[in-house]
Amino acid sequence: MTEQIDHKKRPNGAVTLDSNGAGDYNMTNDVKSLPTAFEAHEEEDTGVESKDEEEEFEAATSYVDVFTIGGYVTLQLFGYLRDFLRRWKVEKSLVAQESEDNVGFAPLYSNWEDFYTRNVYIRIRDCWNRPICSVPGATIKLLERSTPNYGWDFHMTGETIECINMGSYNYLGFAEKFGTCAEDAVAAIDKYGVAGCSPRDDIGTQTVHLELEALVARFVGCEAAVTFGMGFATNSANIPALVDKHCAVLSDSLNHSSIVTGVRLSGAFVKTYKHNDMADMENKLKELVLAGHPRTRRPFKKVLIIVEGVYSMEGSICKLREIIALKKKYKAYLFLDEAHSIGALGPHGRGVVDYFGLDPKDVDIMMGTFTKSFGSAGGYIAGSRDLIDYLKNASGGMIYASAMPAAVAQQIVTSMTIIMGEDGTDEGIRRIRQLAENTRYFRSELKKRGFIIYGHKDSPVVPLLLYYPTKIATFGRFMLQRGIAVVVVGFPATPVKLGRARFCLSAAHTKEMLDKVLQATDEVGDILNIKYSRRYGPNAAVKKDSPSVVNARKNS
Amino acid sequence: MPMRFSRTIFIPLIAFPILIATHGFQNKNPEASLVEHIVGTSWLHFLFEVSLTVYIVFLGVHGMRRTSANPVAESLNQLTAKEKETMLKEWKPEPLVSTAFVKSVQRIESLRPKIVCEGKVGKYVVSGGKKYLNLASYNFLNLIGNTTLEETAKAAIRKYGVGSCGPRGFYGTVDVHLELEEKLARFMGCEEAILYSYGTATISSAIPAYSKRGDLIFVDEGANYAIQQGLTVSRSNIKYFRHNDMDHLESLLEDLHRQNQIALNKPKRKFFDRDDVDHPSRRRVFVVVEGLYANYGDLCPLPQLIALKRKYKFRIFLDETFSVGTVGGTGRGVTEHFNIPQASIDLVTGSLEHALGSTGGFCCGSSFVVDHQRLSGVGYCFSASLPPLLAASASKALDLIDKNTALFEQLKTKSELMHKSLSRINGLTVGSWNGSPIQHLRLQKSTGSHQSDSELLNAITNKVLESGKTLFLTSKYAPDETIAPLPSIRVLVNADMSQEELISAADELDQAVRNVLGHA
C-alpha cells in the first residue's frame, strides 16, 4: 500500500504532498535538526495545500449512513425483545430493582430513559471505565476485568495489561512520577499539607496559590488570574457571576457540558450557532444585538460569546481571528475556554491565541484547565484586573468551594515554569515541538492509510470515524488486544450516526510507539473495513485534474 | 425512544409492507390496464393503501413544518443597512464588570481580613508572620498535618503522579478510586458509593440526575449554595419550607396530596395520556435536607421526616457534607445519631473535604439509585477524576477514624464546651445544636440591615485578630444566594483543641464583643 505513494521531500524536510493529497512529514527523533512545525506551517501557506484542507470533516458514502441507522434500529428491536422477555420472566432480569419498601412511589426512572443503557450500553461497557494502576503517561497499566454475564458485573482477574496510552489527556507528557514536578509536589505536601479544607475566601489561601495565579497571568499574557480546584466548577460557578437573566449568551453548538451548566445556572438567554460556522454566528449575533430579547423586545445588557479553543470530540480549532473581528464589530464580549488548547497549541504553548499570533487583550475572559497539559487538576480564569478582583470576591467557587490542594498547585507551578523555559532548560520547548511533530506525523499517516480523520491538522486530538455502533465496541476491544488503549465514543456524546475513536497525542510518545499504534490501527482497520476515506488512502478516488495531482506532476 | 413516537412511525411502517403483500395483483388477468394493476382486485384494499400513504405524507409535512422560518430574522431583514448600522451604534452594552460594582463588592470584602497562610491550615495557622489558633477552618478531626496521611499522599504521587489526566470513563479510573468507593460504601453501610472530584459539585450534579422538569422538590430554606445550584440546573418545581419546620412541610405535602386526589379523580385516562409527565403517578417528589446545616449548625429532625416519607411517599436526599465524620457515635452521620436504618434514605451525599482532610465528595445509597449517576451525573462524567493522591489520603483517613469512637466523643465534648462558653457572651446568641462542631453566633439585637450587622460582626472578629492569638471569621455568602441567612460569626471546633484553648478563645471573643458593642 505505501509503495505507491511517492515520498517527495523538500530539501529542508518540510511537509510535502504526495499524489494522494495527504501530508507526509518526515519524522525523526532528533528534534533540534528539524524546523519547528510552525515554520513548516508557514511554508505550506504558499500554494500547494489549500486553506480548506487545514480542517476537514469528510463525509462517508451514504450507504454507511443507511447501515448505521439500520444497526441502531436492529439494536432497538432486539432491545424491545429482551425487555419483553424480561418483563414476562422468560429471561432473568439483572437490572437493579427498587427496594420493596418503596411500593407506591413514583418510579425514579422512566422506562425509556434507561432503554439505551440496559440494552446497548451494558453489552459494550467494557470499553469504558477501564481501571488503571499506574501513572497515565505514555504507557499505562490497565487492570484486567472479566464479566460472567455480558457486562452486568465485572470481576478483577488480578492481571494487568501494559498498553500504549492513546486515551489520557497528557499532551505535554507531564503525567510523570519521577522528575522535578513530582519532587516539588512531594515537597509541597510537607510544607502546605495534603489539603486546606477551607474555601479560598475564608482561610484556604496559601502562598502557593498566589504564586500560581501570578504565574498563570504571566503565562497567558493577561493582567491577573484566579484559579479554582476543579475545571468543571470554574465554568459552572463563574459564568453565572458574569451574565444574568438580562444578558444573552451566544454559544457554539458543541460546547462542553460545563459551559452549558454554567449558562443554565446564570439564567441568561441562550442562542447556539452551528459549530465553527462564522456566517451563522454573525447572523445570530446580529439578531441578539439588534432585535433584543425575542419576547420582551428589550435590548440585552451584554452579549457574551462562548467558544472553545480546541473541541475535543471534533478535533477542530476555533476560528479565533474571525471571532475577534465579529466581537469587536458587534460590541460583544468573548469567553474563550482553552481546556484542551492551553499548553498544547502555539509555538510557546500559550494556547490558541499564541497559535494564531493574536493579542490576548482582545479576549475578554480567558479560561482554561490544568488537567490536560500540566498533568494536574483545576481551572483558571485570566483577564483584566477588574474582572479578576470581582470574581475573587463574588464567585461561588471562591466563597464555598474548597481551595486547590497545595500539591496540585505546586505541580502546575513547576510544569508551567518548565514550559515557559524559566527553569533554565529547554525541556519546555522540546516538549512543545515534540507534540507538534507527533500531531503532524500521526494525522498524516492515518489519513494516508485511508481513515476518515476529523479536525484541524494541528490539533492533538485525533478523532477517527467509525460510524457503526458495533464497530465502536469492536475497535476498542481489538486495539486493547494489541496493547493500545484508545477512547471510543458513541451516542450520546457524539451525534447518533458519527461514532468515533479518539486518539490523544502526547509529547511523551516516541516515534516507535506511534508506529506501533499506526500498524495496529491499520490491521484493525482492515479487519473492520473502516477505511472510508475517498480523498486519501487506498480507496481514494483520484480525480485526474485535482490541484494536488497537477502540482505533484509539476514537482516531479 | 418514546412510545408515542414509535406508535406513530412504526405502525405505518409495519402496516405498509403487509398491505403491499396482500395487495391483490392482477395475476390472472394479463390484459389488465395500468390503472387496474394499481387498484388491484379489491378497491377497498386500495382505499386502505391510499389513506395510509396520505397519513405518512401528512406526518412528513407536519414534521417539516415545525422547523419553520425564523420570525426574528425575517423582521431584521426588513431593516435597511443604514438602519442596522445606526442601531448597532446606538446599542451601549454594559461593561463586562462595572467598576462601581467591583468597588462596592470590594468594600464589603475589605471588612474581612485577608488571610494568606504561610504553611499548613491546621490547628494553628501562620499568617503575616503571626501564629493564630484556627477556629475558622473545617478541620474537625485535625487530620490536616497528620503524618500518616501525608506519607500516603506522597507515596501515591510516587506511584501515580499528581493528576489523573482524564474523566472516569476514559482511563481516569484509578484503583485507588475503586478502593475508596468500596470503603465509603462499607463505612456508611450502603450498597454503593460514587466519588466526585469536588465537594460542591456533588449535590449539584446529583439532584439534576434524578429530578427533571415537572418534578417537585421540597427544600429547607437553610439549604446551602451547592444545593441551590443543583435545584436551578434541574429545572424542577421548587418549594421552600421554613427551616427545620416539619409542620410547614407537612402542610405543603397535604396541599400536594389534595391536588393529586383531584387529578386522580378525573375521568379515566386515555391511551395517549400514559406519557403525561404531570400525572401524579409519574411526577417524582423529593425532599432535600442537610444532616447538619452549614448555615445554622443544627440538625435536621430526621425521625419526623421519615414518618412523613412513609405517609406521603417522597424520596429523601440527605446532604451530609458536614455531618459525616462529625455526628454520631462512630461518625456515620445523622442516621446513626437518630438510630435510623440507612436504607430509609434514598441518597446520602458526603464530603471528603471537611472531616477527612482531603478533597472531593461522594454519594452513597442503594445500587439502584447510585448507579444512575455514573452516566447521568454531570460532574462525574464530564470532569477529570479526583487526583489519586487525594483519594489515597481519604482512604487512609477512613481507616484511621473507622474504629476510633473516642475521637468522635472527644469532638462532641469539645463542641458542647464551646457552645456553653459562647452562650455566656452578652450581645450574641448561639443558634446551633450544642453538640455541633459548627457554631453560628448572631447578634442578639440586629441593627436592621444585613450590611450593618455584617460590619459589626466583622469589627468584632477583627478586634480579636489584632489583639489576640485566635482567628475567628464571619460567614460569607455569594450575592446570588436564594435566601441568604443572617450574618454570623462561624466558629469551627477542632477535636484536638484543649479545653483551656477553647475557653480562652471564647473569652477573647467576649472581650472583643464588649469592646465593640459597648456592653458592661
Side-chain angles (χ1 to χ4, degrees):
Chain A
M1 218 182 338
T2 47
E3 289 81 57
Q4 300 159 346
I5 296 162
D6 202 4
H7 290 263
K8 280 273 166 44
K9 209 163 63 111
R10 289 209 208 142
N12 59 1
V15 178
T16 189
L17 287 182
D18 57 20
S19 57
N20 278 343
D24 167 42
Y25 201 95
N26 191 25
M27 174 90 172
T28 67
N29 273 330
D30 184 5
V31 179
K32 290 195 177 39
S33 70
L34 286 171
T36 62
F38 319 101
E39 294 166 26
H41 179 70
E42 285 155 28
E43 295 260 3
E44 280 161 41
D45 276 355
T46 57
V48 187
E49 199 168 286
S50 69
K51 271 277 181 269
D52 294 15
E53 309 219 2
E54 275 184 12
E55 196 162 273
E56 283 189 296
F57 300 95
E58 191 185 331
T61 51
S62 41
Y63 85 80
V64 172
D65 262 5
V66 170
F67 278 94
T68 308
I69 297 291
Y72 276 107
V73 170
T74 315
L75 286 171
Q76 191 164 339
L77 290 176
F78 270 96
Y80 285 139
L81 174 68
R82 299 289 291 278
D83 274 351
F84 178 78
L85 292 176
R86 273 189 217 114
R87 180 140 174 263
W88 295 104
K89 308 274 193 288
V90 177
E91 179 186 327
K92 176 160 174 246
S93 174
L94 293 165
V95 183
Q97 301 295 341
E98 174 114 55
S99 83
E100 283 91 41
D101 295 339
N102 287 353
V103 143
F105 283 61
L108 195 52
Y109 316 118
S110 40
N111 244 349
W112 61 264
E113 202 179 311
D114 279 349
F115 178 88
Y116 181 78
T117 312
R118 66 174 173 270
N119 291 312
V120 180
Y121 175 72
I122 298 276
R123 290 289 298 236
I124 55 175
R125 71 173 175 162
D126 56 295
C127 299
W128 295 285
N129 295 298
R130 288 178 175 160
I132 69 175
C133 58
S134 73
V135 65
T139 57
I140 197 170
K141 226 189 277 189
L142 300 179
L143 290 170
E144 198 184 20
R145 302 183 289 178
S146 72
T147 164
N149 47 21
Y150 295 103
W152 290 97
D153 297 305
F154 283 105
H155 303 298
M156 302 293 177
T157 60
E159 303 285 318
T160 59
I161 311 171
E162 182 90 23
C163 298
I164 297 178
N165 186 5
M166 301 299 287
S168 292
Y169 302 131
N170 184 21
Y171 298 132
L172 291 179
F174 279 110
E176 294 166 329
K177 56 185 180 179
F178 305 117
T180 29
C181 290
E183 292 307 316
D184 282 352
V186 167
I189 293 185
D190 279 327
K191 184 171 177 196
Y192 295 109
V194 174
C197 294
S198 193
R200 282 286 301 274
D201 254 356
D202 283 353
I203 197 176
T205 305
Q206 294 167 302
T207 41
V208 69
H209 295 122
L210 301 181
E211 198 189 322
L212 173 61
E213 287 172 0
L215 192 59
V216 168
R218 255 192 317 128
F219 186 78
V220 295
C222 290
E223 283 176 17
V226 60
T227 56
F228 302 89
M230 184 191 189
F232 189 98
T234 309
N235 275 334
S236 62
N238 290 305
I239 295 179
L242 295 167
V243 284
D244 60 16
K245 59 180 189 218
H246 303 293
C247 308
V249 168
L250 182 63
S251 136
D252 191 294
S253 59
L254 294 180
N255 269 343
H256 189 252
S257 164
S258 57
I259 297 175
V260 172
T261 309
V263 172
R264 221 188 256 194
L265 280 169
S266 71
F269 178 75
V270 192
K271 248 197 180 14
T272 55
Y273 63 91
K274 268 199 286 255
H275 176 60
N276 252 357
D277 185 345
M278 293 298 107
D280 197 28
M281 183 200 248
E282 175 149 23
N283 285 337
K284 298 266 160 56
L285 204 47
K286 238 187 274 193
E287 282 174 33
L288 288 174
V289 168
L290 299 177
H293 195 282
R295 283 196 309 276
T296 64
R297 297 288 181 198
R298 297 255 175 87
F300 290 112
K301 292 208 173 142
K302 287 181 241 180
V303 176
L304 184 66
I305 305 174
I306 305 186
V307 293
E308 286 188 38
V310 166
Y311 292 88
S312 62
M313 281 302 158
E314 304 289 308
S316 51
I317 299 182
C318 72
K319 302 191 169 105
L320 197 59
R321 201 165 274 138
E322 288 93 321
I323 295 174
I324 289 183
L326 275 178
K327 135 195 138 105
K328 284 186 174 162
K329 181 174 170 193
Y330 289 96
K331 298 191 251 185
Y333 300 108
L334 181 58
F335 182 107
L336 178 63
D337 180 343
E338 292 207 85
H340 286 268
S341 52
I342 191 76
L345 282 185
H348 310 289
R350 310 295 169 103
V352 68
V353 170
D354 188 29
Y355 178 75
F356 288 114
L358 300 168
D359 184 4
K361 301 228 181 333
D362 283 334
V363 180
D364 303 285
I365 307 148
M366 298 190 63
M367 177 264 169
T369 62
F370 301 118
T371 325
K372 285 89 184 177
S373 305
F374 302 94
S376 188
Y380 70 88
I381 291 194
S384 70
R385 202 164 291 281
D386 270 347
L387 170 71
I388 301 301
D389 277 342
Y390 166 68
L391 284 178
K392 277 188 175 169
N393 291 321
S395 159
M398 298 290 274
I399 300 173
Y400 302 102
S402 63
M404 191 192 274
V408 168
Q410 186 59 49
Q411 160 85 11
I412 307 165
V413 169
T414 318
S415 56
M416 210 176 257
T417 319
I418 294 176
I419 296 173
M420 290 167 83
E422 289 179 1
D423 62 329
T425 66
D426 58 354
E427 180 68 12
I429 203 79
R430 182 197 75 82
R431 288 176 190 243
I432 297 170
R433 287 185 186 186
Q434 185 71 48
L435 176 65
E437 278 197 28
N438 286 357
T439 307
R440 289 294 184 95
Y441 176 65
F442 194 73
R443 272 180 171 269
S444 65
E445 288 292 315
L446 274 182
K447 278 206 179 125
K448 251 196 304 204
R449 284 161 172 74
F451 297 101
I452 293 186
I453 305 291
Y454 269 13
H456 200 280
K457 65 179 185 318
D458 283 325
S459 124
V461 174
V462 186
L464 189 155
L465 271 283
L466 299 169
Y467 301 100
Y468 297 85
T470 42
K471 291 189 186 179
I472 294 171
T474 331
F475 190 86
R477 287 173 183 159
F478 279 10
M479 290 297 271
L480 185 63
Q481 280 171 11
R482 286 163 177 74
I484 304 189
V486 287
V487 162
V488 288
V489 250
F491 181 75
T494 60
V496 171
K497 292 189 279 188
L498 300 173
R500 62 198 70 174
R502 193 180 68 175
F503 296 92
C504 287
L505 292 162
S506 166
H509 289 135
T510 59
K511 183 169 186 290
E512 289 75 35
M513 287 182 192
L514 291 183
D515 283 337
K516 184 154 182 265
V517 175
L518 287 165
Q519 196 209 341
T521 316
D522 207 7
E523 264 179 50
V524 176
D526 282 330
I527 299 171
L528 294 182
N529 197 15
I530 46 179
K531 296 186 177 173
Y532 297 119
S533 180
R534 283 167 295 160
R535 280 189 214 166
Y536 312 110
N539 301 328
V542 180
K543 296 194 202 82
K544 276 211 187 126
D545 47 359
S546 78
S548 48
V549 176
V550 168
N551 278 317
R553 266 194 237 127
K554 260 200 231 158
N555 285 340
S556 60
Chain B
M1 263 195 185
M3 277 307 288
R4 199 188 301 143
F5 178 63
S6 316
R7 277 198 289 270
T8 49
I9 294 297
F10 276 112
I11 288 176
L13 273 183
I14 292 169
F16 212 78
I18 295 174
L19 282 178
I20 297 287
T22 54
H23 184 98
F25 291 104
Q26 302 278 15
N27 294 327
K28 296 186 183 134
N29 189 0
E31 316 280 355
S33 68
L34 185 62
V35 176
E36 282 181 322
H37 268 292
I38 292 173
V39 173
T41 46
S42 159
W43 63 266
L44 190 62
H45 195 275
F46 178 63
L47 211 58
F48 273 131
E49 287 171 9
V50 167
S51 37
L52 191 62
T53 316
V54 166
Y55 178 51
I56 293 176
V57 166
F58 164 74
L59 279 180
V61 166
H62 182 68
M64 281 195 283
R65 208 157 36 88
R66 240 172 299 168
T67 56
S68 57
N70 191 346
V72 179
E74 275 177 9
S75 67
L76 274 187
N77 281 338
Q78 292 167 6
L79 298 168
T80 64
K82 188 86 172 79
E83 281 175 326
K84 285 189 199 164
E85 223 181 277
T86 336
M87 283 172 77
L88 184 55
K89 224 184 294 186
E90 282 172 359
W91 184 57
K92 296 229 176 330
E94 277 186 7
L96 185 57
V97 170
S98 76
T99 18
F101 189 67
V102 173
K103 288 211 166 46
S104 78
V105 169
Q106 275 181 325
R107 196 171 34 84
I108 301 172
E109 184 50 26
S110 64
L111 301 171
R112 278 169 122 236
K114 277 264 173 298
I115 313 279
V116 179
C117 300
E118 286 151 29
K120 300 183 191 173
V121 188
K123 185 172 147 193
Y124 299 100
V125 289
V126 175
S127 172
K130 282 176 77 176
K131 184 166 152 181
Y132 300 94
L133 180 71
N134 176 11
L135 281 157
S137 80
Y138 301 103
N139 183 17
F140 304 122
L141 303 178
N142 202 24
L143 287 176
I144 307 271
N146 182 307
T147 36
T148 324
L149 297 184
E150 290 187 356
E151 288 312 310
T152 316
K154 285 194 248 182
I157 294 181
R158 297 199 199 285
K159 186 173 177 196
Y160 302 106
V162 175
S164 57
C165 298
R168 286 292 291 263
F170 304 150
Y171 306 102
T173 304
V174 188
D175 49 1
V176 286
H177 294 140
L178 299 175
E179 194 189 314
L180 179 58
E181 284 181 354
E182 266 173 63
K183 275 198 182 156
L184 283 168
R186 243 180 299 136
F187 182 79
M188 298 295 291
C190 295
E191 271 182 17
E192 194 173 332
I194 180 173
L195 198 60
Y196 281 85
S197 47
Y198 214 37
T200 45
T202 316
I203 190 74
S204 40
S205 303
I207 294 178
Y210 302 100
S211 185
K212 312 280 182 202
R213 208 188 278 267
D215 294 328
L216 197 49
I217 308 184
F218 292 100
V219 198
D220 189 298
E221 271 182 358
N224 63 43
Y225 190 70
I227 294 179
Q228 290 169 22
Q229 299 226 296
L231 298 172
T232 315
V233 176
S234 74
R235 304 227 205 232
S236 312
N237 301 324
I238 315 292
K239 280 205 163 59
Y240 285 94
F241 61 91
R242 283 187 291 272
H243 178 57
N244 272 351
D245 191 345
M246 289 292 114
D247 295 324
H248 188 201
L249 175 61
E250 182 157 18
S251 68
L252 289 173
L253 287 165
E254 196 52 54
D255 285 341
L256 175 67
H257 181 69
R258 247 178 284 131
Q259 278 174 20
N260 287 350
Q261 292 299 100
I262 297 171
L264 282 168
N265 288 334
K266 278 206 180 119
K268 194 155 165 53
R269 290 160 60 225
K270 296 219 173 63
F271 184 59
F272 290 99
D273 279 347
R274 271 224 297 262
D275 304 322
D276 182 10
V277 174
D278 280 332
H279 193 272
S281 69
R282 296 203 150 263
R283 191 170 51 181
R284 297 171 274 252
V285 182
F286 301 98
V287 170
V288 180
V289 287
E290 286 181 57
L292 184 66
Y293 283 91
N295 297 334
Y296 295 93
D298 48 9
L299 295 173
C300 101
L302 207 52
Q304 286 126 292
L305 194 62
I306 302 287
L308 285 176
K309 175 184 175 177
R310 292 283 146 236
K311 187 171 170 199
Y312 292 101
K313 301 203 189 307
F314 53 80
R315 296 177 197 272
I316 302 181
F317 285 174
L318 184 62
D319 183 4
E320 294 218 71
T321 307
F322 294 94
S323 43
V324 164
T326 52
V327 177
T330 54
R332 260 72 171 167
V334 284
T335 46
E336 189 185 20
H337 179 85
F338 288 114
N339 215 347
I340 289 171
Q342 194 66 259
S344 348
I345 313 286
D346 296 272
L347 189 72
V348 171
T349 326
S351 165
L352 307 174
E353 290 171 1
H354 304 127
L356 291 174
S358 183
T359 302
F362 68 92
C363 288
C364 63
S366 63
S367 288
F368 172 74
V369 177
V370 170
D371 205 47
H372 181 71
Q373 282 179 54
R374 299 213 188 259
L375 287 177
S376 325
V378 208
Y380 179 85
C381 300
F382 298 107
S383 165
S385 56
L386 189 61
L389 68 111
L390 298 166
S393 163
S395 211
K396 196 75 189 174
L398 273 177
D399 286 339
L400 289 179
I401 69 173
D402 198 7
K403 300 290 187 293
N404 199 346
T405 43
L407 188 59
F408 300 106
E409 244 184 70
Q410 206 180 339
L411 179 63
K412 185 139 184 261
T413 327
K414 303 286 167 64
S415 309
E416 286 169 349
L417 174 65
M418 197 60 179
H419 180 92
K420 207 162 71 173
S421 318
L422 293 172
S423 311
R424 283 197 226 110
I425 300 177
N426 263 330
L428 297 178
T429 48
V430 190
S432 318
W433 173 54
N434 69 341
S436 153
I438 305 176
Q439 304 281 341
H440 278 268
L441 290 140
R442 299 197 154 92
L443 287 172
Q444 223 157 37
K445 227 177 87 177
S446 166
T447 56
S449 81
H450 278 218
Q451 171 71 11
S452 42
D453 273 1
S454 189
E455 280 173 16
L456 263 180
L457 291 168
N458 273 307
I460 296 170
T461 51
N462 288 339
K463 198 92 198 154
V464 177
L465 202 64
E466 60 187 58
S467 60
K469 307 163 303 263
T470 325
L471 179 60
F472 289 101
L473 280 179
T474 55
S475 50
K476 184 178 171 183
Y477 302 108
D480 57 342
E481 275 246 12
T482 321
I483 301 169
L486 291 170
S488 65
I489 298 176
R490 183 173 48 208
V491 179
L492 301 168
V493 176
N494 184 325
D496 265 354
M497 287 178 177
S498 66
Q499 298 206 350
E500 295 77 34
E501 283 174 328
L502 289 175
I503 294 175
S504 91
D507 284 339
E508 278 182 49
L509 189 61
D510 195 11
Q511 199 59 39
V513 170
R514 280 169 212 270
N515 218 308
V516 171
L517 293 180
H519 280 243

